[in-house]
Amino acid sequence: MSQELVLVTGGTGFIAQHCILALLSQGYQVRTTVRSLAREAEVRDNLGTGGAQPRARLSFVVADLGSDAGWAEAAGGCRYVIHGASPTPSGTYATEEDWVRPAVDGNLRVLRAARDAGVARVVLTSAFGAVGVGHKPMNRPFNEDDWSDLTGNVAPYQKSKTLSERAAWEFIRNEGRGLELSAVNPTAVLGPALGADYSHSIRIIKAMMDGQPGLPRINSGFVDVRDVADLHLRAMVDPAGNGERFLAIAGESIWFAEVARILRARMGAAASKVATRSLPDWLVRLGAWRDPRMKDIVPILGVNMNATSAKARRLLGWNPRPAEEAIVATAESLVRLKLLAPDPS
């Protein structure tokens, strides 16, 4: 058990809260940032859902990635930083620059604060979006040597993840002054929701269980959030983690139709509304003309997005649970927390 202090940025986030749970279970003291202390009670409630009552072992600091205020206080006295906070622009008309600049500046702000506070290592929560998009079709799984090709068709979120991770590595090379960095690049993150504010990937499962009428022909890697948290902690303390990126995927990627079949097979009556038919690509493209929120999926229709986690397994001894378990755990939590759409009656 360790009494060392770890900063986890963005404590309202899904991955961040599971990282806090993992750190607490290993005896760490945890400090987390929020943009408003009004959300402290919500975070503590969610951690309680996850089985933890940290009390004084968890403290909160107000800090926003868009401002320098609070970051020196947040990083002060910390041995490690897990940086998972990521700015998300609001509004339908957010520009690409609205995504990219805050993400880049936010990473640099946290890294400067960590360096100046004498932190040993930062673990950056990046994304598969910084690895596997914009490419021509691949005949091999993606690995950590791959970077998303920004000359291809890349959504603003994925571009922001790519450029902000690249900026972090450049900072370490040029200005890090001994600060160590490791990056975790998860595929779609599933697993137990702790409350109503959960990951974008969990919305995939919720939409299926709420009766989405058909499935776009999308292929994705999946990984359980508890295993993503475990990988962050391994990358944080293992000497082999320094200077490395780690893809987080459980097994091989699968198609949404297979996810639907797993739900139907494992979730019984709770999955009675899950559709298993695939929508033709032309219909999805037509829908994207009418609903701009769908346009980001058009470039990945029919594209194999397989990746390998061999590096994390080899260097850090990481051993994630199968994707099927992550899918089922997600669905069970949505039922347990009553987060599915009610049946009309």
Side-chain angles (χ1 to χ4, degrees):
M1 301 287 277
S2 172
Q3 292 299 312
E4 292 173 317
L5 179 61
V6 181
L7 172 65
V8 179
T9 68
T12 57
F14 177 59
I15 294 175
Q17 289 177 6
H18 277 276
C19 285
I20 292 170
L21 288 170
L23 288 163
L24 291 170
S25 74
Q26 293 194 21
Y28 288 95
Q29 303 286 322
V30 181
R31 180 184 294 152
T32 191
T33 63
V34 288
R35 286 187 288 180
S36 167
L37 287 178
R39 296 193 71 179
E40 176 177 345
E42 172 197 330
V43 173
R44 289 188 180 274
D45 283 349
N46 288 357
L47 297 175
T49 300
Q53 297 293 338
R55 298 183 178 86
R57 291 176 56 216
L58 173 66
S59 58
F60 290 76
V61 172
V62 174
D64 189 313
L65 289 174
S67 166
D68 288 336
W71 289 107
E73 179 189 353
C78 292
R79 173 74 173 166
Y80 304 107
V81 173
I82 292 177
H83 175 39
S86 185
T88 303
S90 60
T92 310
Y93 302 105
T95 67
E96 190 171 271
E97 186 66 10
D98 291 335
W99 281 94
V100 172
R101 181 49 48 196
V104 171
D105 290 349
N107 276 5
L108 297 180
R109 192 163 270 123
V110 171
L111 288 169
R112 278 194 294 269
R115 177 199 64 193
D116 295 348
V119 167
R121 184 179 296 176
V122 174
V123 181
L124 172 67
T125 310
S126 187
F128 178 75
V131 174
V133 295
H135 298 277
K136 292 182 172 62
M138 302 279 275
N139 58 6
R140 59 164 179 81
F142 288 101
N143 62 53
E144 289 84 356
D145 292 330
D146 296 311
W147 285 88
S148 291
D149 183 353
L150 300 186
T151 66
N153 196 339
V154 179
Y157 167 77
Q158 296 160 339
K159 186 171 185 179
S160 75
K161 281 296 189 182
T162 305
L163 291 176
S164 60
E165 189 192 336
R166 283 197 178 277
W169 289 115
E170 185 176 351
F171 175 90
I172 293 296
R173 283 193 298 272
N174 298 332
E175 304 176 53
R177 301 205 294 266
L179 176 65
E180 296 180 352
L181 179 66
S182 178
V184 175
N185 299 73
T187 53
V189 181
L190 300 179
L194 301 174
D197 190 355
Y198 43 75
S199 77
H200 174 76
S201 302
I202 284 183
R203 293 191 181 97
I204 297 169
I205 307 300
K206 175 172 162 53
M208 289 184 186
M209 296 188 72
D210 282 344
Q212 176 180 300
L215 305 167
R217 242 172 24 96
I218 291 178
N219 180 272
S220 179
F222 292 97
V223 62
D224 192 288
V225 66
R226 294 165 291 184
D227 296 317
V228 174
D230 175 59
L231 183 52
H232 277 76
L233 268 62
R234 290 170 185 266
M236 183 179 83
V237 300
D238 195 315
N242 180 33
E244 302 289 351
R245 314 170 82 200
F246 296 100
L247 269 165
I249 181 172
E252 297 192 351
S253 62
I254 59 177
W255 297 91
F256 277 16
E258 176 61 21
V259 176
R261 284 193 287 272
I262 290 169
L263 290 171
R264 292 296 292 258
R266 296 284 303 275
M267 290 302 298
S272 62
K273 294 188 283 189
V274 174
T276 55
R277 76 181 184 97
S278 292
L279 298 171
D281 292 352
W282 66 264
L283 188 59
V284 177
R285 291 191 176 96
L286 182 63
W289 279 101
R290 298 174 178 172
D291 184 352
R293 293 172 300 179
M294 292 177 61
K295 69 179 182 181
D296 289 347
I297 70 173
V298 170
I300 59 173
L301 289 172
V303 178
N304 189 325
M305 303 294 274
N306 198 24
T308 175
S309 60
K311 181 178 176 182
R313 294 169 185 268
R314 183 180 73 253
L315 290 185
L316 302 181
W318 186 61
N319 185 30
R321 68 203 76 205
E324 180 168 338
E325 285 187 31
I327 292 164
V328 173
T330 306
E332 288 175 341
S333 73
L334 292 173
V335 172
R336 186 169 59 250
L337 297 175
K338 297 181 170 56
L339 295 174
L340 297 174
D343 284 321
S345 57

